[in-house]
Amino acid sequence: MDNDKQVLATSELATLPLGHNWYQKLASNFEIIEQYLDKLDTDELVVNDLKNKFDDISDKINIYETNMQAIVNILSDYDVPIAIVDGKVVETEEGE
């Protein structure tokens, strides 16, 4: 598919006398449209692949955060002065 804007022949059909080549012009419309539909299909596959990767990364981040919170909770139970602040594990003062 080239970057030149292609004009569909159907926009001319209202002014054409429907002679012998009208079907050729109509067929060329489908060739033009097909190029764009194929590109849309390819783009959809790329978008779906990116969405799947994003979902996978999001799941891994959620598991990581859950595990980190569990570790901090366990350490806190043993009076280790530690907490999660702004998503980071930090040492706290005793009694906080």
Side-chain angles (χ1 to χ4, degrees):
M1 179 170 60
D2 45 8
N3 290 333
D4 297 333
K5 183 168 176 131
Q6 299 180 13
V7 178
L8 298 177
T10 50
S11 60
E12 301 172 13
L13 287 179
T15 60
L16 287 178
L18 293 180
H20 178 68
N21 72 350
W22 73 271
Y23 66 91
Q24 292 171 331
K25 289 187 176 260
L26 191 59
S28 72
N29 283 349
F30 290 108
E31 292 170 359
I32 293 169
I33 292 168
E34 181 181 31
Q35 295 172 18
Y36 290 95
L37 290 175
D38 289 345
K39 176 144 179 34
L40 283 174
D41 288 343
T42 302
D43 290 348
E44 182 180 8
L45 291 174
V46 170
V47 167
N48 285 339
D49 186 46
L50 290 173
K51 182 185 177 310
N52 289 339
K53 287 179 182 177
F54 176 79
D55 289 345
D56 186 47
I57 290 170
S58 293
D59 289 344
K60 288 179 180 176
I61 289 172
N62 288 337
I63 291 169
Y64 169 81
E65 289 173 347
T66 301
N67 289 341
M68 188 58 61
Q69 185 64 55
I71 291 168
V72 168
N73 291 345
I74 291 168
L75 292 173
S76 294
D77 289 344
Y78 289 97
D79 293 328
V80 175
I82 196 169
I84 295 178
V85 178
D86 296 327
K88 297 177 184 175
V89 176
V90 297
E91 189 173 348
T92 63
E93 297 292 322
E94 296 246 357
E96 282 188 39

